[in-house]
Amino acid sequence: MPAHPDAVAFYTTQSTFSDPGELASHYAGLPSDPAQLARVVRDLMVHRGEAELFRHIHPTDRLHHDAESRYIDDILRIVVGRSAAPLSEPRAVGDRFVGVCRDFALLHCSLLRHHGIPARVRSGFADYFRADAFHCDHVVTEYWDDRRGTWLLADPQLADPALHHAGHVDFDPMDVPRDRFLVAGEAWRAIREGGADRRTFGLHPPEEGPFWGERFVAGNIRLDLAAVNKVETLLWDVWSEDEGKPGEPLPESSRAFYDRVAPVVSGDFSVEAARRLFTEDDVLRTPKTVTCYAPFNGPSLVTLRQGQCSAGGSVPVTGEWGHGSSTGAPVARYRRS
């Protein structure tokens, strides 16, 4: 079935975060095939957790600062600043942008949108990075496959077949099975409705720290809802936090709240419904200023670039921004990598 025209128009235009701006000229000459674009992304970036895989030690400044780049134009400035070669040319590991999964997905999304292919960033959990069935916090691209008439999940971090041995990958990275990567809403429903063990979802298992379970998945739902509204923040940008601390159970009122929110961003969801919820809900809508809990650099307040609405104005349904206030206690900190 064809994609809804409104969804096509919405997801083929760049967001404030994915817009290459004056650096769009560097996209010239790149292929339009989604798989080839994923490989371009893979060859420009190295995940900051891949030092051992590449037998490379990331310089401390790059390890600490590259992944704090929220916007694609800033990422591209770093990439072209380290090598003047065309983006189609694979970079030596020492010249690559040192990022996280969100950076791979956002650049892939930017390239797809540049070629008129509807694409969006999705936040969720992958079971293919560990051998113990743990669902790791992860971000991928979702793009429209016009030939098949459906949305597909793609993981550009897996686009180099030579690196597949680093994970447990027995599928096409351009068509990640929906049971191998659960978008955040589906992960929540798997726990709450399907009996999945909440201890198997998070940044790490419970014995390794507090960032796991329902509280962590709830934070991921907020990030995913923002992303499908084209507000693709850093993974450690936080707003409207729930009462309590990492590792503590969510209040029952919060659990009931996410029971209502999760279906809106699950399955073949309604873009209109997701945009309406994001626009109208003060807890879920991304404010102009967020708290950034940078893993290496500590917390700070960050005012985000403004999109289509004027400063202080209300967000229209067609816009990308809101200015709602946080209604929760600011204590649930997500330090994601």
Side-chain angles (χ1 to χ4, degrees):
M1 60 181 294
H4 192 283
D6 290 344
V8 170
F10 188 55
Y11 291 119
T12 54
T13 56
Q14 300 287 7
S15 70
T16 302
F17 292 83
S18 71
D19 190 351
E22 63 184 17
L23 297 175
S25 60
H26 290 277
Y27 288 0
L30 291 178
S32 60
D33 176 70
Q36 291 178 302
L37 290 174
R39 182 58 188 266
V40 168
V41 172
R42 173 69 267 192
D43 290 340
L44 294 174
M45 293 184 164
V46 58
H47 193 286
R48 63 187 182 190
E50 292 179 331
E52 183 177 351
L53 176 64
F54 280 85
R55 296 189 175 96
H56 175 78
I57 298 175
H58 304 313
T60 300
D61 62 328
R62 299 182 183 185
L63 182 68
H64 288 193
H65 301 302
D66 278 16
E68 298 304 317
S69 305
R70 282 177 182 77
Y71 309 102
I72 282 298
D73 59 343
D74 288 336
I75 290 175
L76 289 173
R77 286 188 185 93
I78 291 174
V79 170
V80 301
R82 291 177 184 163
S83 172
L87 297 187
S88 57
E89 184 173 315
R91 299 308 200 254
V93 64
D95 291 333
R96 297 189 185 196
F97 179 89
V98 183
V100 296
C101 53
R102 173 259 185 189
D103 305 314
F104 285 80
L106 184 62
L107 180 54
H108 191 213
C109 192
S110 177
L111 294 172
L112 290 166
R113 289 172 178 170
H114 180 77
H115 285 285
I117 300 171
R120 54 203 183 200
V121 170
R122 300 305 305 268
S123 186
F125 299 88
D127 74 352
Y128 45 83
F129 289 109
R130 298 172 62 116
D132 58 3
F134 186 81
H135 298 81
C136 297
D137 173 43
H138 194 44
V139 177
V140 299
T141 310
E142 190 172 42
Y143 69 102
W144 180 257
D145 186 309
D146 203 44
R147 181 179 59 85
R148 294 171 57 177
T150 191
W151 290 94
L152 300 179
L153 297 173
D155 192 339
Q157 200 173 319
L158 304 180
D160 183 352
L163 301 178
H164 284 185
H165 68 277
H168 304 271
V169 181
D170 56 1
F171 52 82
D172 180 358
M174 295 305 297
D175 185 9
V176 180
R178 298 272 172 177
D179 62 347
R180 303 298 304 276
F181 179 88
L182 298 180
V183 296
E186 295 283 3
W188 178 268
R189 298 178 76 182
I191 294 169
R192 295 281 286 162
E193 303 170 16
D197 187 348
R198 68 183 185 279
R199 296 172 298 178
T200 64
F201 291 84
L203 181 62
H204 46 60
E207 60 271 18
E208 296 178 16
F211 299 106
W212 57 274
E214 289 181 358
R215 183 177 294 277
F216 194 89
V217 176
N220 227 321
I221 290 175
R222 292 198 300 272
L223 289 170
D224 190 51
L225 178 64
V228 300
N229 279 276
K230 293 167 59 180
V231 181
E232 303 105 342
T233 63
L234 295 183
L235 303 184
W236 38 88
D237 285 341
V238 177
W239 63 95
S240 302
E241 301 161 281
D242 298 286
E243 290 186 22
K245 298 178 180 180
E248 293 181 351
L250 278 174
E252 192 56 40
S253 59
S254 293
R255 299 174 85 198
F257 176 74
Y258 291 110
D259 284 344
R260 296 191 297 271
V261 175
V264 180
V265 285
S266 296
D268 188 17
F269 70 95
S270 165
V271 176
E272 181 182 358
R275 295 177 70 186
R276 184 183 302 113
L277 177 63
F278 187 69
T279 299
E280 297 176 354
D281 193 287
D282 289 343
V283 174
L284 297 170
R285 187 170 62 246
T286 310
K288 289 186 293 185
T289 299
V290 299
T291 303
C292 175
Y293 293 106
F296 293 102
N297 302 323
S300 63
L301 292 177
V302 175
T303 298
L304 303 173
R305 290 182 189 175
Q306 297 305 294
Q308 296 177 348
C309 68
S310 59
S314 61
V315 62
V317 172
T318 56
E320 296 174 14
W321 291 94
H323 65 292
S325 60
S326 171
T327 61
V331 290
R333 305 180 180 182
Y334 297 88
R335 296 169 61 87
R336 304 170 57 181
S337 55

Short mmCIF file of all heavy atoms in Angstrom, two decimals, residues 12 59 61 83 85 92 111 116 126 136 140 159 161 168 233 237-238 250 274 286 289 299 307:
data_model
loop_
_atom_site.label_atom_id
_atom_site.label_comp_id
_atom_site.label_asym_id
_atom_site.label_seq_id
_atom_site.Cartn_x
_atom_site.Cartn_y
_atom_site.Cartn_z
N THR A 12 10.11 13.36 4.23
CA THR A 12 11.11 13.62 3.20
C THR A 12 11.76 14.98 3.36
O THR A 12 12.77 15.26 2.71
CB THR A 12 10.50 13.52 1.78
OG1 THR A 12 9.37 14.38 1.69
CG2 THR A 12 10.11 12.11 1.44
N PRO A 59 41.06 9.35 20.52
CA PRO A 59 41.58 10.48 21.29
C PRO A 59 40.54 10.96 22.30
O PRO A 59 39.34 11.00 22.00
CB PRO A 59 41.85 11.55 20.22
CG PRO A 59 42.05 10.76 18.95
CD PRO A 59 41.12 9.59 19.06
N ASP A 61 39.59 13.81 23.51
CA ASP A 61 38.71 14.93 23.18
C ASP A 61 37.60 14.49 22.23
O ASP A 61 36.45 14.92 22.36
CB ASP A 61 39.52 16.09 22.59
CG ASP A 61 40.23 15.74 21.29
OD1 ASP A 61 40.63 14.57 21.12
OD2 ASP A 61 40.40 16.63 20.43
N SER A 83 39.02 15.24 7.04
CA SER A 83 39.42 14.75 5.72
C SER A 83 38.63 15.50 4.66
O SER A 83 37.40 15.59 4.74
CB SER A 83 39.17 13.25 5.58
OG SER A 83 39.39 12.83 4.24
N ALA A 85 38.32 14.57 1.65
CA ALA A 85 37.85 13.63 0.63
C ALA A 85 36.33 13.67 0.52
O ALA A 85 35.63 14.05 1.47
CB ALA A 85 38.31 12.22 0.97
N ALA A 92 39.75 6.53 7.13
CA ALA A 92 40.55 5.77 8.07
C ALA A 92 39.92 5.97 9.45
O ALA A 92 39.32 7.01 9.73
CB ALA A 92 41.99 6.27 8.06
N LEU A 111 20.59 11.71 4.80
CA LEU A 111 20.91 11.36 3.42
C LEU A 111 19.68 10.85 2.68
O LEU A 111 19.46 11.19 1.50
CB LEU A 111 22.03 10.31 3.40
CG LEU A 111 23.40 10.77 3.92
CD1 LEU A 111 24.34 9.59 4.03
CD2 LEU A 111 23.98 11.85 3.02
N GLY A 116 14.83 12.36 -1.15
CA GLY A 116 13.38 12.27 -1.27
C GLY A 116 12.79 10.97 -0.77
O GLY A 116 11.65 10.64 -1.10
N ALA A 126 17.61 -3.44 20.88
CA ALA A 126 18.07 -4.49 19.97
C ALA A 126 18.59 -5.69 20.76
O ALA A 126 19.27 -5.52 21.78
CB ALA A 126 19.18 -3.95 19.07
N CYS A 136 19.40 -4.36 24.18
CA CYS A 136 20.24 -3.19 24.40
C CYS A 136 19.61 -1.92 23.85
O CYS A 136 19.07 -1.90 22.73
CB CYS A 136 21.60 -3.38 23.71
SG CYS A 136 22.58 -4.75 24.35
N VAL A 140 17.94 3.21 15.45
CA VAL A 140 18.07 2.82 14.05
C VAL A 140 17.30 3.81 13.17
O VAL A 140 16.67 4.74 13.67
CB VAL A 140 17.54 1.38 13.81
CG1 VAL A 140 18.32 0.37 14.63
CG2 VAL A 140 16.04 1.29 14.10
N ALA A 159 26.23 -1.83 8.51
CA ALA A 159 26.27 -1.81 7.05
C ALA A 159 27.55 -2.38 6.45
O ALA A 159 27.59 -2.64 5.25
CB ALA A 159 26.07 -0.37 6.55
N PRO A 161 29.58 -5.59 6.14
CA PRO A 161 29.48 -7.02 6.46
C PRO A 161 30.69 -7.56 7.20
O PRO A 161 30.57 -8.52 7.97
CB PRO A 161 29.34 -7.67 5.07
CG PRO A 161 28.84 -6.59 4.18
CD PRO A 161 29.44 -5.33 4.71
N HIS A 168 25.42 -10.40 16.73
CA HIS A 168 24.75 -11.66 16.44
C HIS A 168 23.74 -11.37 15.34
O HIS A 168 22.53 -11.34 15.56
CB HIS A 168 24.11 -12.21 17.71
CG HIS A 168 25.09 -12.38 18.83
ND1 HIS A 168 25.81 -13.53 19.00
CD2 HIS A 168 25.51 -11.53 19.79
CE1 HIS A 168 26.62 -13.39 20.04
NE2 HIS A 168 26.45 -12.18 20.53
N THR A 233 16.70 14.52 19.34
CA THR A 233 17.65 15.04 20.32
C THR A 233 18.78 14.05 20.59
O THR A 233 18.76 12.90 20.16
CB THR A 233 16.94 15.33 21.65
OG1 THR A 233 16.44 14.10 22.18
CG2 THR A 233 15.80 16.31 21.46
N ASP A 237 19.61 13.98 26.31
CA ASP A 237 18.81 15.18 26.53
C ASP A 237 17.52 14.74 27.23
O ASP A 237 16.81 13.86 26.75
CB ASP A 237 18.47 15.85 25.20
CG ASP A 237 19.64 16.61 24.60
OD1 ASP A 237 20.59 16.92 25.35
OD2 ASP A 237 19.60 16.89 23.39
N VAL A 238 17.22 15.34 28.36
CA VAL A 238 16.13 14.88 29.21
C VAL A 238 15.18 16.02 29.53
O VAL A 238 15.60 17.16 29.73
CB VAL A 238 16.69 14.25 30.51
CG1 VAL A 238 15.57 13.82 31.44
CG2 VAL A 238 17.59 13.06 30.18
N LEU A 250 8.84 2.65 38.73
CA LEU A 250 8.04 3.83 38.37
C LEU A 250 6.82 3.92 39.27
O LEU A 250 6.25 2.89 39.66
CB LEU A 250 7.58 3.73 36.92
CG LEU A 250 8.54 4.15 35.81
CD1 LEU A 250 7.91 3.83 34.46
CD2 LEU A 250 8.88 5.62 35.90
N ALA A 274 0.41 10.56 16.48
CA ALA A 274 1.67 10.80 17.17
C ALA A 274 2.00 12.28 17.22
O ALA A 274 2.50 12.80 18.23
CB ALA A 274 2.80 10.03 16.49
N THR A 286 8.88 18.22 23.67
CA THR A 286 10.23 18.70 23.96
C THR A 286 10.20 20.21 24.15
O THR A 286 9.79 20.93 23.25
CB THR A 286 11.20 18.35 22.82
OG1 THR A 286 11.07 16.98 22.48
CG2 THR A 286 12.64 18.64 23.23
N THR A 289 14.31 24.32 26.15
CA THR A 289 15.53 24.07 26.94
C THR A 289 15.42 22.70 27.60
O THR A 289 14.41 22.39 28.24
CB THR A 289 15.72 25.15 28.01
OG1 THR A 289 15.86 26.43 27.37
CG2 THR A 289 16.98 24.88 28.83
N PRO A 299 26.21 17.38 33.59
CA PRO A 299 24.92 17.95 33.22
C PRO A 299 25.00 19.44 32.90
O PRO A 299 25.83 20.17 33.44
CB PRO A 299 24.07 17.72 34.47
CG PRO A 299 25.06 17.67 35.59
CD PRO A 299 26.29 17.04 35.01
N GLY A 307 12.89 25.56 15.45
CA GLY A 307 12.47 25.07 14.15
C GLY A 307 11.49 26.02 13.49
O GLY A 307 11.77 27.19 13.29
#
